[in-house]
Amino acid sequence: MSLQNDASHEKASYNLYIYSQLSQEDSSCCTVVATKESSAADVIKIAVAALCLDASKTYVLTEVKECGGEEWVLDANDPPVQRVRLWPRKAQERHSQAEGYYFLLQEKNQDGTIKYVHLPRLSEEEAARRLVERGFLPRPQEDYNDLCNLPNLTESAILGNLKVRFVKQKIYTYAGSILIAINPFKFLPIYNPKYVKMYDNHQLGKLEPHIFAIADVSYHTMLKKRVNQCIVISGESGSGKTQSTNFLIHCLTALSQKGYASGVERTILGAGPVLEVI
Ligand SMILES: Nc1ncnc2c1ncn2[C@@H]1O[C@H](COP(=O)(O)OP(=O)(O)OP(=O)(O)O)[C@@H](O)[C@H]1O
């Protein structure tokens, strides 16, 4: 459906592409100029004339959504333009059969019934694949740095994503503003001053997930709102809570520029074992 320039938006006219048959090879198509108010009956009348069909017969307009496996017969009063406006943006522009969203003009049988197209029911994966191929959905990434962006939020998808990232030595992943850390049980060169600087005063989520990002956000929120901040660290024994706390303290003291000069970091870290005993 392409919008034609018109001074008044209310009176804007749209090009609707109407097919008279399903078969892709010999389908004939015509363009009908319609407004938001045009009814299916108006569109059918113009399409029948444009496609040189027998005007003595009765026709219905069917909205076909291949991905959902849906065929919807429009009522004579239904405005087709309104239906198109609910389609994915790309399908709205030029809804050819190849895009999987289109209108089909169908002849009514003597008894008032119509012959349904009976689209094969697509599996969810196939439907998603076609939507991606047609540019209606973004291409799936290899891994997601925020679990909230996973296309399918299932346990296996979450674990699979964490695993893919872990293999690439990306031990941190966001779940919104929560940071998930997986213990690498080896030293990774991602805690040096370069990283403290990189995450200094940044917006959470803009850079690769990191424990310093959490430290930085709480530090700057504390300065801005002048309210104490709290970071909750939770995990099973040996998961890396103490180590994560140390990294947080290291980053916080570095950000406050007291880390090296006053030995604050050493003092706080030294108190850690005593606090853990209590
Ligand atoms: N980010 C990390 N990088 C490298 N090694 C890590 C990291 N996190 C944890 N480790 C390793 O895992 C070990 C266990 O971590 P840690 O002591 O922090 O676990 P914990 O959750 O505090 O355990 P517990 O609850 O038993 O005290 C550490 O000694 C360290 O060797």
Short mmCIF file of all heavy atoms in Angstrom, two decimals, residues 171-172 182-188 191 235-244 247 276, ligand 1:
data_model
loop_
_atom_site.label_atom_id
_atom_site.label_comp_id
_atom_site.label_asym_id
_atom_site.label_seq_id
_atom_site.Cartn_x
_atom_site.Cartn_y
_atom_site.Cartn_z
N ILE A 171 31.96 -13.33 29.76
CA ILE A 171 31.39 -13.95 30.96
C ILE A 171 30.22 -13.16 31.53
O ILE A 171 29.51 -13.63 32.40
CB ILE A 171 32.46 -14.18 32.06
CG1 ILE A 171 33.06 -12.84 32.50
CG2 ILE A 171 33.52 -15.15 31.59
CD1 ILE A 171 33.86 -12.95 33.79
N TYR A 172 30.06 -11.91 31.06
CA TYR A 172 28.97 -11.08 31.59
C TYR A 172 27.85 -10.93 30.55
O TYR A 172 28.12 -10.76 29.36
CB TYR A 172 29.49 -9.68 31.95
CG TYR A 172 30.51 -9.69 33.06
CD1 TYR A 172 31.84 -9.36 32.84
CD2 TYR A 172 30.13 -10.07 34.35
CE1 TYR A 172 32.77 -9.36 33.87
CE2 TYR A 172 31.06 -10.09 35.39
CZ TYR A 172 32.37 -9.73 35.14
OH TYR A 172 33.28 -9.75 36.16
N ILE A 182 29.38 -15.36 34.82
CA ILE A 182 29.72 -16.79 34.88
C ILE A 182 31.19 -16.90 35.22
O ILE A 182 32.04 -16.28 34.57
CB ILE A 182 29.40 -17.49 33.54
CG1 ILE A 182 27.92 -17.30 33.20
CG2 ILE A 182 29.75 -18.97 33.62
CD1 ILE A 182 27.46 -18.00 31.96
N ASN A 183 31.46 -17.67 36.26
CA ASN A 183 32.84 -17.78 36.76
C ASN A 183 33.73 -18.43 35.70
O ASN A 183 33.50 -19.58 35.32
CB ASN A 183 32.83 -18.62 38.04
CG ASN A 183 34.16 -18.58 38.75
OD1 ASN A 183 35.17 -18.20 38.17
ND2 ASN A 183 34.16 -18.95 40.03
N PRO A 184 34.75 -17.72 35.23
CA PRO A 184 35.62 -18.31 34.20
C PRO A 184 36.70 -19.19 34.80
O PRO A 184 37.38 -19.92 34.07
CB PRO A 184 36.24 -17.08 33.54
CG PRO A 184 36.30 -16.06 34.64
CD PRO A 184 35.14 -16.34 35.55
N PHE A 185 36.92 -19.12 36.11
CA PHE A 185 37.97 -19.86 36.81
C PHE A 185 39.34 -19.66 36.17
O PHE A 185 40.18 -20.54 36.17
CB PHE A 185 37.65 -21.36 36.91
CG PHE A 185 36.62 -21.65 37.97
CD1 PHE A 185 35.32 -21.97 37.63
CD2 PHE A 185 36.95 -21.56 39.34
CE1 PHE A 185 34.36 -22.19 38.62
CE2 PHE A 185 36.00 -21.80 40.32
CZ PHE A 185 34.70 -22.12 39.96
N LYS A 186 39.52 -18.52 35.55
CA LYS A 186 40.84 -18.14 35.03
C LYS A 186 40.87 -16.63 34.90
O LYS A 186 39.82 -15.98 34.82
CB LYS A 186 41.13 -18.82 33.70
CG LYS A 186 40.28 -18.38 32.56
CD LYS A 186 40.77 -19.02 31.28
CE LYS A 186 39.86 -18.60 30.14
NZ LYS A 186 40.06 -19.30 28.94
N PHE A 187 42.09 -16.09 34.85
CA PHE A 187 42.21 -14.64 34.77
C PHE A 187 41.88 -14.14 33.37
O PHE A 187 42.38 -14.67 32.38
CB PHE A 187 43.63 -14.20 35.17
CG PHE A 187 43.84 -12.73 34.97
CD1 PHE A 187 43.29 -11.81 35.85
CD2 PHE A 187 44.53 -12.27 33.85
CE1 PHE A 187 43.44 -10.45 35.64
CE2 PHE A 187 44.68 -10.90 33.63
CZ PHE A 187 44.14 -10.00 34.53
N LEU A 188 41.04 -13.14 33.31
CA LEU A 188 40.76 -12.51 32.02
C LEU A 188 41.25 -11.06 32.08
O LEU A 188 41.04 -10.38 33.09
CB LEU A 188 39.24 -12.52 31.73
CG LEU A 188 38.56 -13.87 31.60
CD1 LEU A 188 37.05 -13.70 31.39
CD2 LEU A 188 39.15 -14.67 30.43
N TYR A 191 40.02 -6.21 33.52
CA TYR A 191 39.79 -5.46 34.76
C TYR A 191 40.85 -4.37 34.98
O TYR A 191 40.98 -3.86 36.07
CB TYR A 191 39.78 -6.42 35.97
CG TYR A 191 38.74 -7.51 35.82
CD1 TYR A 191 39.12 -8.81 35.50
CD2 TYR A 191 37.39 -7.23 35.97
CE1 TYR A 191 38.17 -9.82 35.34
CE2 TYR A 191 36.44 -8.23 35.81
CZ TYR A 191 36.82 -9.52 35.49
OH TYR A 191 35.88 -10.50 35.33
N GLY A 235 24.55 -15.76 44.38
CA GLY A 235 25.04 -16.90 43.60
C GLY A 235 25.40 -18.03 44.54
O GLY A 235 25.52 -17.83 45.75
N GLU A 236 25.59 -19.22 43.97
CA GLU A 236 25.92 -20.34 44.85
C GLU A 236 27.39 -20.28 45.26
O GLU A 236 28.16 -19.46 44.73
CB GLU A 236 25.57 -21.67 44.17
CG GLU A 236 26.34 -21.94 42.90
CD GLU A 236 25.91 -23.26 42.25
OE1 GLU A 236 24.70 -23.53 42.21
OE2 GLU A 236 26.81 -23.98 41.80
N SER A 237 27.74 -21.16 46.19
CA SER A 237 29.10 -21.13 46.71
C SER A 237 30.11 -21.39 45.59
O SER A 237 29.95 -22.31 44.79
CB SER A 237 29.24 -22.23 47.79
OG SER A 237 30.55 -22.20 48.28
N GLY A 238 31.11 -20.52 45.51
CA GLY A 238 32.16 -20.68 44.50
C GLY A 238 31.81 -20.05 43.16
O GLY A 238 32.56 -20.17 42.19
N SER A 239 30.65 -19.36 43.10
CA SER A 239 30.25 -18.78 41.81
C SER A 239 31.01 -17.50 41.47
O SER A 239 30.97 -17.05 40.32
CB SER A 239 28.74 -18.53 41.80
OG SER A 239 28.40 -17.67 42.87
N GLY A 240 31.63 -16.91 42.48
CA GLY A 240 32.43 -15.71 42.20
C GLY A 240 31.93 -14.44 42.87
O GLY A 240 32.25 -13.34 42.42
N LYS A 241 31.17 -14.59 43.96
CA LYS A 241 30.61 -13.40 44.64
C LYS A 241 31.70 -12.53 45.23
O LYS A 241 31.72 -11.32 45.05
CB LYS A 241 29.62 -13.83 45.74
CG LYS A 241 28.42 -14.62 45.23
CD LYS A 241 27.45 -14.94 46.32
CE LYS A 241 28.01 -15.91 47.35
NZ LYS A 241 28.28 -17.26 46.80
N THR A 242 32.66 -13.19 45.94
CA THR A 242 33.74 -12.43 46.59
C THR A 242 34.58 -11.73 45.52
O THR A 242 34.92 -10.54 45.65
CB THR A 242 34.62 -13.38 47.43
OG1 THR A 242 33.75 -14.16 48.24
CG2 THR A 242 35.59 -12.62 48.29
N GLN A 243 34.89 -12.47 44.47
CA GLN A 243 35.71 -11.91 43.40
C GLN A 243 34.98 -10.71 42.76
O GLN A 243 35.59 -9.67 42.51
CB GLN A 243 35.94 -13.01 42.35
CG GLN A 243 37.06 -12.74 41.39
CD GLN A 243 38.43 -12.82 42.03
OE1 GLN A 243 38.66 -13.65 42.90
NE2 GLN A 243 39.31 -11.93 41.63
N SER A 244 33.68 -10.87 42.55
CA SER A 244 32.91 -9.78 41.94
C SER A 244 32.90 -8.56 42.86
O SER A 244 33.02 -7.42 42.40
CB SER A 244 31.47 -10.22 41.67
OG SER A 244 31.46 -11.25 40.71
N PHE A 247 36.10 -6.76 42.51
CA PHE A 247 36.15 -5.96 41.27
C PHE A 247 35.32 -4.69 41.42
O PHE A 247 35.71 -3.63 40.94
CB PHE A 247 35.63 -6.77 40.08
CG PHE A 247 36.55 -7.89 39.65
CD1 PHE A 247 36.06 -9.13 39.31
CD2 PHE A 247 37.93 -7.68 39.58
CE1 PHE A 247 36.91 -10.16 38.91
CE2 PHE A 247 38.79 -8.71 39.17
CZ PHE A 247 38.27 -9.95 38.84
N GLU A 276 32.97 -11.45 56.12
CA GLU A 276 32.42 -12.74 55.66
C GLU A 276 32.25 -13.71 56.83
O GLU A 276 31.31 -14.49 56.87
CB GLU A 276 33.34 -13.37 54.60
CG GLU A 276 33.05 -12.81 53.22
CD GLU A 276 33.63 -13.64 52.10
OE1 GLU A 276 33.62 -14.88 52.23
OE2 GLU A 276 34.09 -13.05 51.12
N1 LIG B 1 35.60 -12.99 37.34
C1 LIG B 1 36.47 -13.92 37.70
N2 LIG B 1 37.64 -14.03 37.03
C2 LIG B 1 38.53 -14.97 37.37
N3 LIG B 1 38.35 -15.88 38.35
C3 LIG B 1 37.20 -15.82 39.05
C4 LIG B 1 36.20 -14.84 38.77
N4 LIG B 1 35.18 -15.03 39.62
C5 LIG B 1 35.53 -16.06 40.41
N5 LIG B 1 36.74 -16.53 40.06
C6 LIG B 1 37.46 -17.68 40.67
O1 LIG B 1 36.51 -18.47 41.36
C7 LIG B 1 36.94 -18.67 42.70
C8 LIG B 1 35.74 -18.67 43.61
O2 LIG B 1 35.18 -17.40 43.61
P1 LIG B 1 34.62 -16.69 44.91
O3 LIG B 1 35.47 -17.03 46.09
O4 LIG B 1 34.46 -15.26 44.60
O5 LIG B 1 33.25 -17.41 45.07
P2 LIG B 1 32.12 -17.11 46.16
O6 LIG B 1 30.83 -17.07 45.42
O7 LIG B 1 32.46 -15.91 46.95
O8 LIG B 1 32.19 -18.42 47.01
P3 LIG B 1 31.68 -18.62 48.54
O9 LIG B 1 30.21 -18.36 48.52
O10 LIG B 1 31.97 -20.06 48.79
O11 LIG B 1 32.45 -17.67 49.37
C9 LIG B 1 37.91 -17.53 42.99
O12 LIG B 1 38.91 -17.93 43.90
C10 LIG B 1 38.50 -17.23 41.66
O13 LIG B 1 39.64 -18.03 41.43
#
